């Protein structure tokens, strides 16, 4: 059977009423058994023992669409694990948290099961992914200049749209990161998290920044037409970022990444390897300064 003969109808998720996985056809376009990991190594990794990376994952699988359907989503495994691979290989310990402390949800249908790099980092962090810290517990009394997170990493996947962009805790962490020249790393739908800085009338921290984000045009067009998502979304990432004078550099998904000050972004799962290399290099340079 050719790809064109595969169904474009979203696949029913039997675990939840009116919930759907991406269509068989869409998965042939958007997923692969291997990534574009190019074997990059870090012969001089960070060994100082102080600096870490905080990864904030999505704890919710089901994203409500405009028509009431649920998209069975979560964090995209390549967008999460490939940047983690680079950061880990560069010598940075990664601590994993979710807003609720519940397990990180992954779009398992996108896991590259023949990719040794991704499989290895998943195995290393599997326990943390299934038993992450609660974000409020990580924050404690609040972060200070002495808090040892050199980077905050928020991966994409449509699941990030649940909770994270509306979390004051996430917003406080991102404001802290910006004020203390720590790196914020995100890709695809993940930059929606930046909206958390404006929760409860707060000052949006990235006004005037340039970044790469998953294109709204795909979420309003092709993603519906090929059955990747089960219908129109209730809100769009780029549209809401542009309300804050953000300049989105990409119109498509080519693996484009960009650094604007301490914000590192990528356009899609295709940017995972590039963003991982960019982040690892930036953090190594800062840690060794």
């Amino acid at each position: 059977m050719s790809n064109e003969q595969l169904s474009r109808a979203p696949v029913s998720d039997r675990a939840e009423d009116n919930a759907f996985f991406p269509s068989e056809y869409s998965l042939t376009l958007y997923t692969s058994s291997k990534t574009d990991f190019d074997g990059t190594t870090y012969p001089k990794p960070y060994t100082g023992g102080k600096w870490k990376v905080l990864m904030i994952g999505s704890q919710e699988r089901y994203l409500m669409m405009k028509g009431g359907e649920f998209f069975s989503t979560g964090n995209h495994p390549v967008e999460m694990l490939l940047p983690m691979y680079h950061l880990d290989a560069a010598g940075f310990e990664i601590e994993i948290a979710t807003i609720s402390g519940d397990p990180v949800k992954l779009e398992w249908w996108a896991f590259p099961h023949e990719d040794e790099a991704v499989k290895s980092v998943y195995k290393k962090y599997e326990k943390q992914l299934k038993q992450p810290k609660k974000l409020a517990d990580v924050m404690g009394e609040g972060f200070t200049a002495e808090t040892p997170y050199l980077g905050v990493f928020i991966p994409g996947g449509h699941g990030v749209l649940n909770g994270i962009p509306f979390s004051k805790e996430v917003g406080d962490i991102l404001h802290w990161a910006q004020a203390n020249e720590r790196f914020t790393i995100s890709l695809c739908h993940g930059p929606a998290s930046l909206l958390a800085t404006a929760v409860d009338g707060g000052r949006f921290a990235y006004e005037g920044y340039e970044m790469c984000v998953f294109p709204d045009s795909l979420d309003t067009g092709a993603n519906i037409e090929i059955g990747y998502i089960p219908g129109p979304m209730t809100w769009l990432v780029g549209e809401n970022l542009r309300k804050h004078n953000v300049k989105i550099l990409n119109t498509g998904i080519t693996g484009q990444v960009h650094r604007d000050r301490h914000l590192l972004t990528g356009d899609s799962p295709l940017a995972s390897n590039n963003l991982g290399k960019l982040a690892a290099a930036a953090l190594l340079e800062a840690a060794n300064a």
Side-chain angles (χ1 to χ4, degrees), residues 100-286:
S100 64
D102 292 314
V104 175
K105 302 301 190 297
L106 291 176
E107 297 174 326
W108 198 251
W109 36 262
F111 193 93
H113 289 283
E114 296 178 18
D115 194 292
E116 295 304 321
V118 171
K119 288 197 297 184
S120 69
V121 78
Y122 175 74
K123 185 175 181 180
K124 180 172 182 176
Y125 286 95
E126 183 178 7
K127 184 175 180 180
Q128 274 205 65
L129 289 165
K130 293 182 177 178
Q131 296 179 314
K133 296 181 178 181
K134 185 176 181 178
L135 199 56
D137 294 338
V138 173
M139 293 182 69
E141 298 295 314
F143 288 175
T144 69
E146 302 306 312
T147 300
Y149 298 123
L150 186 56
V152 179
F153 172 41
I154 305 180
H158 284 76
V160 74
L161 305 184
N162 281 313
I164 289 176
F166 312 101
S167 166
K168 188 175 186 303
E169 293 166 342
V170 173
D172 287 346
I173 289 172
L174 296 181
H175 275 296
W176 164 84
Q178 187 185 61
N180 288 275
E181 297 188 335
R182 311 298 172 85
F183 291 92
T184 297
I185 307 156
S186 194
L187 72 168
C188 202
H189 291 81
S193 60
L194 306 180
L195 296 166
T197 61
V199 167
D200 294 337
R203 175 189 63 83
F204 181 72
Y206 303 93
E207 184 166 353
Y209 274 61
E210 296 181 340
M211 62 188 72
C212 296
V213 181
F214 190 82
D216 289 349
S217 59
L218 290 178
D219 274 332
T220 58
N223 279 359
I224 299 172
E225 294 160 11
I226 65 176
Y228 184 76
I229 56 178
M233 293 162 55
T234 59
W235 62 280
L236 298 169
V237 178
E239 179 181 283
N240 280 270
L241 286 170
R242 288 189 180 95
K243 292 176 182 177
H244 297 283
N245 195 31
V246 163
K247 182 178 180 181
I248 297 174
L249 299 176
N250 60 296
T251 55
I253 52 173
T254 62
Q256 185 175 350
V257 297
H258 185 69
R259 175 176 177 175
D260 188 339
R261 287 155 275 190
H262 286 78
L263 177 66
L264 313 178
T265 54
D267 65 15
S268 68
L270 300 176
S272 302
N273 190 53
N274 293 336
L275 184 66
K277 291 194 289 186
L278 178 66
L283 267 65
L284 281 172
E285 181 182 15

Side-chain angles (χ1 to χ4, degrees), residues 6-86:
L6 292 173
S7 174
R8 300 190 183 205
V11 175
S12 179
D13 176 354
R14 295 170 64 187
E16 182 60 65
D17 177 51
N18 203 26
F20 299 91
F21 297 112
S23 72
E24 293 179 358
Y25 174 74
S26 69
L27 292 184
T28 67
L29 302 180
Y30 279 175
T31 66
S32 176
S33 61
K34 287 188 177 181
T35 72
D36 63 342
F37 176 64
D38 55 4
T40 298
T41 59
Y42 299 89
K44 294 183 179 180
Y46 172 67
T47 56
K50 173 185 177 181
W51 295 119
K52 305 177 182 180
V53 172
L54 174 64
M55 197 277 282
I56 303 174
S58 174
Q59 77 284 340
E60 174 56 53
R61 179 171 306 286
Y62 295 110
L63 177 67
M64 177 80 79
M65 312 304 280
K66 187 177 290 186
E69 312 93 340
F70 285 118
F71 178 30
S72 186
T73 175
N75 281 128
H76 193 289
V78 175
E79 292 175 21
M80 173 183 288
L81 295 167
L82 198 46
M84 284 177 65
Y85 180 91
H86 285 281

Side-chain angles (χ1 to χ4, degrees), residues 87-105:
L87 292 166
D88 179 86
F92 296 99
E93 178 185 345
I94 302 170
E95 292 185 358
I96 298 174
T98 60
I99 293 172
S100 64
D102 292 314
V104 175
K105 302 301 190 297

